[in-house]
Amino acid sequence: MLARQRQAVILEEARRTGAVRVSDLVERLGVSDMTVRRDLDVLASRGLVEKVYGGATTITSRSTDEPGFEAKSVRQREQKEAIAAAAAGLVRPGTAIGISAGTTTWTLARALDGIPGLTIVTNSIRVADVLRDSTQPDRTVVLTGGVRTPSDALVGPVAVQSLRSLHLDLVFLGVHGMAEGPGFTTPNLTESETDRALVESGRRLVVLADHTKWGTVGISTIADLAEASVVVSDDELPEDARRILAEHVGELIIAPDSSGAGAGV
């Protein structure tokens, strides 16, 4: 198969699923790891895909674009794990918390396994699946109903109604983007309404957002920056973003990188 044919196959698969992995492409195309990576370099140079750790994703930039869960799960993986570990440190045993849908909050759910006595409310099928496999016998998991979105969130009137009757200690919110004017945003209008209901159910709001979310604006605002008690991001967050967030939110936590650097602001 010629390089151009391979690249067409790779691009078609990326557009169909939202993301491709190098290991899968090596097996499917019968070529070496380096050949696949060179093909991804070509596609990335043409602006057709975005290279990420272990593969590539399709490029989305419109305010209503919403990549699927698999596409988002391979982006900024190390940063998300660091953010999740830092956020888990805010959770105390025996508390009631809310967790929104998203790949960063999904990573957080995995980091909560050692904390006993939690009651966790979520509108995320993926998060609920992780929590179901917990080793904690005294854990209560509540999954809202609703209509399923591309990010595996349950949204709509059923989800909103169930969330409005709850009173949670902490709410962990994953977002599509954050910026000084629009605040925390999502590309899904229905999901924004559900997320707002989740935010309103909690005494404190903790937003989990890696550095790539800064300056990205979805079509609908979930909450203003000032509504966040805490924002947890990674150490690649730009200095201007740190300054603006520090002025608006209660606390900015920069999750340590793999070397152990990072600090609260």
Side-chain angles (χ1 to χ4, degrees):
M1 185 181 294
L2 298 176
R4 185 163 50 188
Q5 294 172 312
R6 287 195 311 271
Q7 291 156 19
V9 171
I10 293 170
L11 183 58
E12 180 182 358
E13 181 65 13
R15 287 173 172 170
R16 185 180 69 84
T17 64
V20 289
R21 298 181 186 276
V22 170
S23 57
D24 293 338
L25 293 172
V26 167
E27 182 176 353
R28 176 175 176 177
L29 298 172
V31 295
S32 69
D33 178 282
M34 289 303 299
T35 297
V36 170
R37 293 184 186 278
R38 283 195 296 269
D39 287 338
L40 291 178
D41 285 338
V42 171
L43 293 172
S45 69
R46 293 164 58 191
L48 298 174
V49 300
E50 177 182 357
K51 290 190 68 180
V52 297
Y53 181 81
T57 64
T58 52
I59 293 176
T60 59
S61 59
R62 295 171 295 178
S63 62
T64 55
D65 281 333
E66 183 178 15
F69 187 93
E70 298 299 338
K72 293 188 289 185
S73 68
V74 296
R75 297 176 179 175
Q76 286 74 51
R77 183 179 301 171
E78 293 181 0
Q79 289 92 339
K80 290 174 181 177
E81 290 177 353
I83 289 168
L90 302 174
V91 180
R92 299 292 174 259
T95 54
I97 66 174
I99 303 179
S100 77
T103 53
T104 310
T105 49
W106 171 73
T107 307
L108 168 65
R110 294 158 55 199
L112 296 175
D113 195 51
I115 304 175
L118 296 179
T119 296
I120 304 174
V121 177
T122 184
N123 69 320
S124 167
I125 297 170
R126 300 277 185 153
V127 168
D129 283 344
V130 170
L131 297 173
R132 180 187 59 187
D133 296 331
S134 171
T135 59
Q136 298 296 327
D138 56 354
R139 174 167 296 177
T140 300
V141 179
V142 179
L143 177 63
T144 70
V147 179
R148 189 173 183 173
T149 72
S151 60
D152 283 340
L154 297 176
V155 302
V158 173
V160 169
Q161 183 175 0
S162 62
L163 290 168
R164 283 180 175 164
S165 64
L166 301 177
H167 306 281
L168 306 173
D169 298 303
L170 278 175
V171 167
F172 292 94
L173 178 69
V175 298
H176 174 74
M178 57 180 176
E180 185 173 14
F184 304 108
T185 60
T186 174
N188 188 304
L189 287 169
T190 310
E191 189 166 356
S192 69
E193 182 182 11
T194 304
D195 282 343
R196 278 196 290 270
L198 179 61
V199 168
E200 291 167 2
S201 72
R203 291 193 298 110
R204 300 180 69 215
L205 171 62
V206 181
V207 176
L208 311 183
D210 68 72
H211 69 280
T212 65
K213 305 299 177 66
W214 182 254
T216 298
V217 179
I219 193 171
S220 184
T221 294
I222 302 167
D224 294 332
L225 296 183
E227 293 181 61
S229 299
V230 182
V231 170
V232 187
S233 191
D234 62 84
D235 57 7
E236 293 187 43
L237 187 70
E239 288 301 325
D240 64 325
R242 299 189 191 203
R243 175 182 54 79
I244 292 169
L245 287 170
E247 291 173 355
H248 288 82
V249 307
E251 181 183 7
L252 172 62
I253 296 176
I254 301 300
D257 60 22
S258 58
S259 65
V265 177

